[in-house]
Amino acid sequence: MPEADLNRSKSRCYFTGGGPELIYNERSDVSSGPMNILLAGVNYKTAPVSFREKLAFDYDQMVSALRYLKVKYSDCGFVLLSTCNRVELYCSVARGSELSASDLVTELAGIKKYGDCAAVYDAFYCMNDRDAVCHLLEVASSLDSLVLGESQIIAQVRDAYYAASRVGATDKVLNRLFHCAFTCSKEVYSTTSISQRRVSVASVAVYLAAKELGCYVGKKAVVIGVGEMGELLICHLKNAGCNNITVVNRTIRRSQLLAERLGLDYVSWDDLSKAVAEADIIIAAANAGEVIFDSSILPEGDDTKKVIIDIAVPRNFEASIGELDNITLFSIDDLAVAASDNMQARKEDIDLAREIVNDDADSFIDWFGVMDVGPVAGRLRDKFHQMAEDELRKLYSCMKPLDETSRQQVDASVKRLVNKYLHSLVNGFYQHAREVDPHTVIKLMEQVIEQEHRGKQ
């Protein structure tokens, strides 16, 4: 179709698939009218982990929140992103709606039962339209991460989008926006050297421990939690020269399987205190949802230097443990020191990546500004082709019958002629919509359709 071809050529972020829940149709998935994009978020730059952990969502909580929001605001679309470093709610809303980005902050605080509203509003950032688009593209491309180029964020953004798609919380605008973010991330990683020199949160955690202890030779490490982050930590520890690693998990079978695969030791959860007492490095990455360790986990009277790195959100270790003698406790926010060095070393990469983000944001905004023209252009196209079919029917009724081959040739020739003129006409409508006002163009197109309808009557 001419209008689809035009959209595809004008935007680098045109998608038709990527998995069952990602497929959507530009013509059928029609918005109800002009839209705005809202964003309310909090991250490691605006709030400490002690604040963020109270607003963190696990998968079930995320799904429940999305369903609640979709029921309350049925005409809006939502995607909720919750990671160790951020909680962000993206929303598409009809232009002119009273729902604002600050209202999203109130909703998130209410869902998490966070009492101090003043603190919530101070910590959250609110964005609209292009600012929100650029922010998501930077997040997905790991330009807004605590550690530049960290490899987990794009998977986390995808998971957040998948979750929203599965419960029917997204719409045409957010579908397009998140697909654009996926492609932008891919382009940043393939065009810059971020993918070759990326540094994960896990690697920075291991770097901090080595900085405190000098080296890993002869040191013993305990890793609490055997999820994806736990496994990443283990790989970085081994690469750094730490060969004495014990894994601990609430489900001992998972610890056993990982230990057998990577050649590690493992202990049961009941033996965790003993393992901690013997360890020099304790790294916590358990998805517990709350603080699960206080000072009682440490042996009394032990003056051995220990480094505890708690990268879980909510945190696994009580913050007061860091005040004990011979204990150095790092939270995920402490990784910012190493991350700043990483950022400075990659300034050229960052500049190039931001150019890509801005180009893709422009492409999305270009589509976003005229997206309501598409459905009306489709109706105009259908109307023109219906007119051509009506005229052909009249022509065939008053002339000698044609053989099937000749009739098909005439039909195809007329169809090509209509498409040729439609392409030029619709192209002009889109160009005028971009330069002037899409809603004026829509009214004009609707008048053309209505005039033809009246003419038939």
Side-chain angles (χ1 to χ4, degrees), residues 227-426:
E228 182 181 1
M229 181 60 78
E231 188 167 341
L232 277 172
L233 286 161
I234 291 164
C235 291
H236 284 292
L237 282 170
K238 293 182 76 172
N239 290 337
C242 184
N243 296 315
N244 191 347
I245 304 172
T246 299
V247 294
V248 189
N249 195 65
R250 287 185 185 273
T251 307
I252 193 168
R253 179 60 177 162
R254 294 189 65 191
S255 297
Q256 181 183 8
L257 290 173
L258 182 64
E260 290 174 352
R261 180 159 56 87
L262 299 180
L264 312 171
D265 295 326
Y266 71 94
V267 296
S268 69
W269 192 263
D270 292 338
D271 293 326
L272 176 59
S273 295
K274 181 180 178 182
V276 167
E278 298 172 352
D280 303 288
I281 308 128
I282 301 104
I283 301 182
N287 185 18
E290 60 184 356
V291 172
I292 52 178
F293 306 120
D294 57 23
S295 58
S296 64
I297 192 71
L298 300 169
E300 292 185 12
D302 184 6
D303 59 358
T304 305
K305 182 175 178 61
K306 294 183 186 294
V307 175
I308 301 174
I309 298 181
D310 188 352
I311 61 173
V313 177
R315 288 170 291 181
N316 289 170
F317 281 85
E318 195 173 72
S320 60
I321 290 178
E323 300 172 6
L324 300 176
D325 293 338
N326 301 315
I327 299 294
T328 301
L329 173 64
F330 293 108
S331 74
I332 193 165
D333 286 352
D334 296 314
L335 303 184
V337 177
S340 64
D341 295 337
N342 177 41
M343 185 76 77
Q344 186 61 36
R346 300 188 190 181
K347 188 176 186 309
E348 290 185 7
D349 284 335
I350 296 169
D351 291 342
L352 177 56
R354 292 200 191 284
E355 286 183 19
I356 295 170
V357 165
N358 282 324
D359 286 347
D360 282 358
D362 287 342
S363 293
F364 177 84
I365 292 299
D366 186 37
W367 168 85
F368 185 57
V370 299
M371 68 175 186
D372 297 310
V373 175
V376 185
R379 287 168 51 207
L380 184 66
R381 172 190 178 277
D382 293 342
K383 184 62 67 176
F384 271 63
H385 278 288
Q386 185 61 53
M387 290 167 59
E389 289 178 11
D390 292 344
E391 290 301 318
L392 281 172
R393 196 177 300 110
K394 293 176 184 177
L395 176 65
Y396 292 146
S397 69
C398 64
M399 63 182 292
K400 292 181 180 180
L402 299 175
D403 60 73
E404 187 62 25
T405 300
S406 298
R407 184 160 180 157
Q408 288 177 356
Q409 290 174 342
V410 172
D411 288 349
S413 179
V414 171
K415 186 174 182 179
R416 283 195 301 271
L417 185 64
V418 172
N419 281 336
K420 179 179 179 180
Y421 283 102
L422 267 174
H423 181 77
S424 178
L425 180 64
V426 172

